[in-house]
Amino acid sequence: MILLTTLLPSTSLPSSLSIWELISFDSFAHVFMFCVLCFLMIVGMSKQFTFPRLHHYAIRFSLFASTLFGIGIELMQHFFIYGRQGDIIDVVANTSGCLLGIVLFKLIYIW
């Protein structure tokens, strides 16, 4: 779902919701989707016991995998999707969403 929605043509995205360039619907969507992705990855990995290393390092692996996924999406947009261009702001938004997902996980499960 994340891959599909981030690879949509730019003409199908709504315009900015804010007067600031950095806070647009696109950036908010990236932060939200990657927050959910990272949070659910951590929950899933911490509840499985088949692979002890994944269980023990769930937060680190989730941050690494979801950040690489976000960078991969931006590279695919830049090189393969007509009408879209990879953007460093989206990579920052993806990573921010991942970090927010970690904070959310710690708020719910640890603290």
Side-chain angles (χ1 to χ4, degrees):
M1 183 64 155
I2 292 173
L3 183 63
L4 177 67
T5 57
T6 56
L7 294 179
L8 287 173
S10 60
T11 56
S12 64
L13 295 174
S15 62
S16 295
L17 296 174
S18 175
I19 57 173
W20 298 320
E21 187 63 30
L22 294 178
I23 302 176
S24 64
F25 177 79
D26 185 49
S27 294
F28 176 75
H30 280 265
V31 169
F32 177 76
M33 287 190 297
F34 277 84
C35 176
V36 171
L37 172 69
C38 195
F39 175 80
L40 292 177
M41 283 179 70
I42 296 169
V43 170
M45 283 186 241
S46 63
K47 291 188 178 199
Q48 65 84 30
F49 294 99
T50 306
F51 302 102
R53 281 211 138 132
L54 280 181
H55 175 77
H56 189 264
Y57 297 110
I59 292 175
R60 290 179 191 172
F61 182 77
S62 172
L63 177 63
F64 178 74
S66 53
T67 301
L68 277 181
F69 182 62
I71 292 170
I73 285 173
E74 293 307 314
L75 289 173
M76 286 194 308
Q77 285 179 356
H78 185 72
F79 291 113
F80 300 119
I81 306 299
Y82 179 74
R84 294 296 301 257
Q85 187 173 4
D87 191 8
I88 192 69
I89 298 297
D90 288 346
V91 172
V92 170
N94 295 345
T95 306
S96 299
C98 294
L99 295 173
L100 189 63
I102 291 170
V103 169
L104 185 65
F105 174 79
K106 287 189 175 203
L107 282 173
I108 293 173
Y109 286 97
I110 295 176
W111 293 324

